[in-house]
Amino acid sequence: MKRIIFLGPPGAGKGTQAKIISELYSIPHISTGDILRAAVQDQTSLGQKAQNFMDSGELVPDELILDLIKERLQETDALDGWILDGFPRNVSQAEFLDKLLTELSLTADYVINLEVPDEVLVERLLERKRKDDNESTIRRRLEIYHQDTVPVISYYTDSGLLKAVNGNLEMKEVTSSLQTVVNQ
Ligand code: ADP
């Protein structure tokens, strides 16, 4: 069974790698960023509430995301594993996920942190040119990452689950390091 929590800063290449891992192991790629972007695109009520936060590089409030994850993890395609990308993004989301998994009698099998230095991230994000990728939101996203998401790394280090993978290598090498971890 593969239940993978995939952590890493914005621009680390999580989305790309998570998609590859999802295909290699036939597990759904659950990306809160993708779900939120689709909601914004479709102008659903979730999308309307989330849009300003996303455009300015802030996290959307937990209450917009927690129920959504709870439901998504119980969908049929997610019963035999998943790779979670972009969640948990802060310690309260990590605690929520812990409680949810306990309720569902599940555990995460791997928590992987994809490591890339900040200066490389800024360069990559500026090249990517997504709608929310301008210099000021990029800086804000990195600030929020250090403030809210880095503590999640310590949270999982304490629980002994965390594995680090170097994301500052060629894409194929990153994939193969990830496979090495996930095959353990
Ligand atoms: P990146 O990897 O560049 O940070 P994501 O696609 O993961 O981009 O997320 C894009 C935006 O969606 C974030 O900047 C944030 O506003 C919002 N978002 C995604 N996941 C979460 C989450 N778990 N909690 C709060 N906000 C989130």
Side-chain angles (χ1 to χ4, degrees), residues 8-15 31-34 36-37 50-51 53-62 65 69 85-90 93 125 128 130 132-133 141:
K14 276 195 322 283
S31 156
T32 45
D34 286 352
L36 290 169
R37 274 186 292 279
Q51 183 156 24
F53 295 101
M54 295 174 74
D55 286 345
S56 56
E58 305 293 324
L59 294 184
V60 309
D62 282 357
I65 210 109
I69 282 289
D85 162 14
F87 187 95
R89 262 272 211 314
N90 59 33
Q93 293 181 5
L125 289 166
R128 189 167 75 177
R130 203 170 66 195
D132 56 347
D133 287 339
R141 296 226 298 282

